[in-house]
């Protein structure tokens, strides 16, 4: 069933798909709100080496990036594979327009953008050598269906790369119950919206069930202490804590947490970014073949 997103007057989004209907508030539907767009750019630039040291597509190969958002990963894809032909799509027209602008401002010319829904793409079957999906499955109520649909566009012998996070992989020093509760709010809100913020650990079974072969998953742990000031700023504060801070109103409004506990949780996450603090999070990167 196609996934349709409708914007509601109060800034919420309704996702219809896979038989489910979920309500998403735009504070946590990544990619639709200016603060979130900045966070996605911070996340992408901070994590380039960790996630993309091995992301490279051969010259002349045709790559489909689905759910490109505002182009945060697209820039890296294009720079790392300057002679590949990249087609980047997103369901949000606004995000596609922003991504296009960003790519043009970088002087990159090997990316073609178009608005499109993963569940309703009009490309010819087997017309791509590679598909790239980053931080998208976590928002979908039907990730296996998305992976199956995308398989149709990959030529036999071609590959798919999927990257997702997993909030259950978060731990830090000093430990804090309030911080774990605040993180859990994000997990719960995403679950209520039909997504899964702990999908990283499921990539192997999801891709296998979708019919991919040679599935290889590599966990990519971000370990941050104050000897890595760039990661303290770029990851602990601006990527992770900013994401949790962004759901404050939605979490309190939904009655999942009280204000005091949430604010203490955020304070404690910032505490883990101090001189003796430590923060860990694991992303999962899967590469598989279509036979
Ligand atoms: C968290 S953002 C990730 C953006 C980008 N991949 C990145 O890593 O910065 C998720 C993106 O998936 C897009 N998306 C969600 N459902 C989609 C669908 N059915 N088809 C295409 N794009 C979709 C959203 O519009 C959003 O831009």
């Amino acid at each position: 069933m196609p996934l349709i997103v409708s914007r509601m007057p109060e800034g919420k989004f309704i996702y219809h798909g896979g038989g489910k209907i979920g309500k998403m508030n735009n504070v946590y539907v990544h990619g639709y709100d200016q603060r979130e767009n900045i966070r996605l750019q911070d996340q992408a630039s901070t994590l380039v080496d960790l996630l993309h040291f091995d992301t490279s597509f051969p010259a002349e190969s045709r790559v489909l990036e689905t759910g490109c958002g505002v182009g945060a990963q697209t820039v890296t894809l294009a720079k790392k594979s300057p002679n590949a032909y990249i087609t980047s799509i997103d369901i949000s027209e606004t995000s596609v327009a922003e991504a296009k602008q960003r790519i043009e401002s970088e002087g990159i010319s090997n990316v073609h953008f178009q608005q499109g829904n993963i569940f309703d793409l009009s490309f010819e079957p087997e017309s791509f050598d590679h598909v790239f999906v980053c931080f998208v499955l976590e928002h979908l109520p039907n990730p296996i269906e998305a992976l199956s649909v995308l398989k149709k566009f990959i030529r036999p012998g071609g590959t798919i790369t999927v990257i997702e996070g997993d909030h259950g992989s978060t731990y830090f020093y000093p430990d804090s119950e309030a911080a774990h509760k605040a993180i859990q709010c994000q997990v719960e809100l995403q679950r209520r919206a039909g997504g899964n913020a702990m999908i990283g650990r499921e990539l192997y079974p999801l891709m296998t069930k979708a019919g991919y072969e040679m599935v290889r998953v590599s966990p990519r742990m971000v370990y941050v202490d104050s000897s890595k000031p760039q990661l303290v700023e770029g990851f602990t504060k601006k990527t992770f804590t900013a994401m949790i801070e962004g759901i404050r109103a939605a979490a309190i409004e939904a009655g999942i947490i009280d204000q005091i506990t949430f604010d203490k949780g955020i304070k404690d996450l910032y505490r883990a970014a101090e001189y003796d603090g430590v923060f860990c999070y694991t992303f999962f990167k899967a590469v598989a073949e279509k036979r």
Side-chain angles (χ1 to χ4, degrees):
M1 189 186 292
L3 186 97
I4 302 155
V5 182
S6 328
R7 183 172 210 146
M8 305 307 282
E10 71 278 29
K12 297 195 173 186
F13 292 83
I14 305 289
Y15 276 49
H16 321 258
K20 284 195 180 180
I21 297 182
K23 224 182 207 181
M24 281 188 168
N25 186 307
N26 64 347
V27 289
Y28 61 92
V29 178
H30 306 296
Y32 293 118
D33 140 306
Q34 202 45 39
R35 184 172 163 181
E36 178 59 17
N37 289 347
I38 292 166
R39 196 193 69 80
L40 283 171
Q41 307 284 11
D42 283 336
Q43 170 172 266
S45 52
T46 304
L47 300 174
V48 167
D49 289 342
L50 182 80
L51 299 180
H52 294 302
F53 70 85
D54 53 353
T55 310
S56 168
F57 301 108
E60 311 288 316
S61 59
R62 299 151 302 169
V63 180
L64 172 64
E65 181 195 12
T66 56
C68 65
V70 292
Q73 312 292 335
T74 317
V75 173
T76 305
L77 289 187
K79 286 186 176 169
K80 287 197 154 267
S81 304
N83 298 312
Y85 301 111
I86 301 170
T87 302
S88 296
I89 69 107
D90 198 281
I91 200 165
S92 156
E93 227 166 280
T94 321
S95 296
V96 168
E98 202 166 316
K100 203 170 172 188
Q101 243 179 11
R102 172 128 204 264
I103 285 284
E104 280 167 9
S105 74
E106 295 266 352
I108 294 167
S109 58
N110 62 327
V111 184
H112 164 77
F113 286 99
Q114 71 186 62
Q115 189 272 337
N117 180 347
I118 288 170
F119 297 93
D120 190 23
L121 294 173
S122 54
F123 301 115
E124 288 294 314
E126 302 184 353
S127 55
F128 291 94
D129 301 294
H130 309 283
V131 164
F132 178 84
V133 191
C134 186
F135 307 141
V136 178
L137 296 186
E138 62 175 302
H139 298 290
L140 305 180
N142 44 359
I144 297 180
E145 195 185 326
L147 290 167
S148 306
V149 163
L150 291 174
K151 190 150 65 75
K152 178 171 90 191
F153 300 111
I154 305 173
R155 66 154 167 88
T159 66
I160 183 166
T161 300
V162 182
I163 302 175
E164 293 290 344
D166 188 320
H167 291 359
S169 71
T170 316
Y171 51 88
F172 33 83
Y173 175 84
D175 202 2
S176 153
E177 206 185 320
H180 286 293
K181 282 184 177 162
I183 295 166
Q184 197 51 37
C185 293
Q186 162 81 30
V187 174
E188 178 57 19
L189 287 172
Q190 205 155 324
R191 188 192 68 76
R192 291 183 188 188
N196 179 3
M198 307 210 292
I199 200 168
R201 70 189 70 182
E202 291 182 29
L203 287 188
Y204 185 87
L206 290 174
M207 292 173 77
T208 306
K209 281 178 192 157
Y212 289 95
E213 309 263 347
M214 302 289 291
V215 183
R216 292 283 173 271
V217 178
S218 72
R220 310 272 164 118
M221 186 204 266
V222 191
Y223 167 81
V224 190
D225 63 33
S226 60
S227 68
K228 300 169 174 128
Q230 272 180 320
L231 282 178
V232 171
E233 275 307 305
F235 192 75
T236 309
K237 291 186 183 172
K238 290 187 176 166
T239 296
F240 192 84
T241 307
M243 172 181 70
I244 304 300
E245 259 184 311
I247 57 143
R248 183 181 188 277
I252 293 167
E253 195 187 319
I256 304 171
I257 197 166
D258 63 86
Q259 211 166 305
I260 291 169
T261 309
F262 190 88
D263 291 344
K264 177 165 175 15
I266 295 299
K267 192 165 160 254
D268 290 351
L269 286 174
Y270 279 114
R271 172 67 186 85
E274 285 179 21
Y275 74 101
D276 62 345
V278 170
F279 189 87
C280 283
Y281 186 90
T282 305
F283 293 92
F284 294 82
K285 179 171 184 175
V287 179
E289 269 182 36
K290 171 183 170 174
R291 288 282 167 87

